[in-house]
Amino acid sequence: SPAMQVKLLRVLQEQCFEKVGGEKQIKVDVRIISATNRPLKKLIAQKLFRKDLFYRLCVVPLDLPPLSERRLDIPMLAEHFLEQIGKELNSSILSISNEVIDAMSRYSWPGNVRELRNTIEYAYVKCYDNLIRLEHLPPEIVENQKKKRRKPGPNNKLKKTSIISALSETD
């Protein structure tokens, strides 16, 4: 909120704050690590985010693309979450079938990495043996995989004759 932005900016600039209902100032020496999925520069233009606060926070910006743009990270993250969940539940660590990796790689992940973790946890709970299969995934991922399979597409293999023909036509 705009009011909270003012208070946060004041703490960052003056390096002190007062507790609610308090009278003495408390000194702080802090670094802030912040994250957002919102376009702050657009919010600044719309006067919804303070420009001075943005530049106070934006010291070392890291732009991390969404999971849908980092599909090669999905198997590694899935394995990490499997290990993490196995430790949390004090249970054996499962493995993931290639079909599941394929399905997860084709999915758009609107919920990003949090959704992937929840998906792995869902599969972990649904799986009763040592291998997570397609039927252990949430319905939206299974349906997405089925749609992708049904889609007829062009044949991606080019024949030598068609390549030579195209080259001769275009000199």
Side-chain angles (χ1 to χ4, degrees), residues 69-81:
E69 294 176 21
R70 298 181 294 132
R71 298 198 186 277
L72 294 177
D73 292 352
I74 292 171
M76 178 194 60
L77 287 167
E79 289 293 333
H80 169 73
F81 292 140

Side-chain angles (χ1 to χ4, degrees), residues 78 81-82 85 100 104 107 109 112-126 132 136-142:
F81 292 140
L82 259 182
I85 292 164
V100 167
M104 290 192 307
Y107 185 64
W109 298 107
N112 224 335
V113 179
R114 287 183 195 96
E115 184 181 11
L116 175 59
R117 191 199 191 288
N118 289 346
T119 296
I120 297 300
E121 191 167 356
Y122 179 97
Y124 204 103
V125 169
K126 298 277 283 184
I132 294 177
H136 301 129
L137 294 180
E140 59 273 12
I141 297 174
V142 174

Side-chain angles (χ1 to χ4, degrees), residues 57-115:
L57 292 173
C58 192
V59 177
V60 181
L62 298 174
D63 186 25
L64 189 61
L67 191 55
S68 60
E69 294 176 21
R70 298 181 294 132
R71 298 198 186 277
L72 294 177
D73 292 352
I74 292 171
M76 178 194 60
L77 287 167
E79 289 293 333
H80 169 73
F81 292 140
L82 259 182
E83 190 176 309
Q84 201 177 46
I85 292 164
K87 287 178 183 175
E88 286 173 13
L89 298 175
N90 201 16
S91 181
S92 63
I93 296 172
L94 310 178
S95 56
I96 303 172
S97 72
N98 290 336
E99 185 181 35
V100 167
I101 295 293
D102 184 49
M104 290 192 307
S105 296
R106 292 173 188 255
Y107 185 64
S108 63
W109 298 107
N112 224 335
V113 179
R114 287 183 195 96
E115 184 181 11

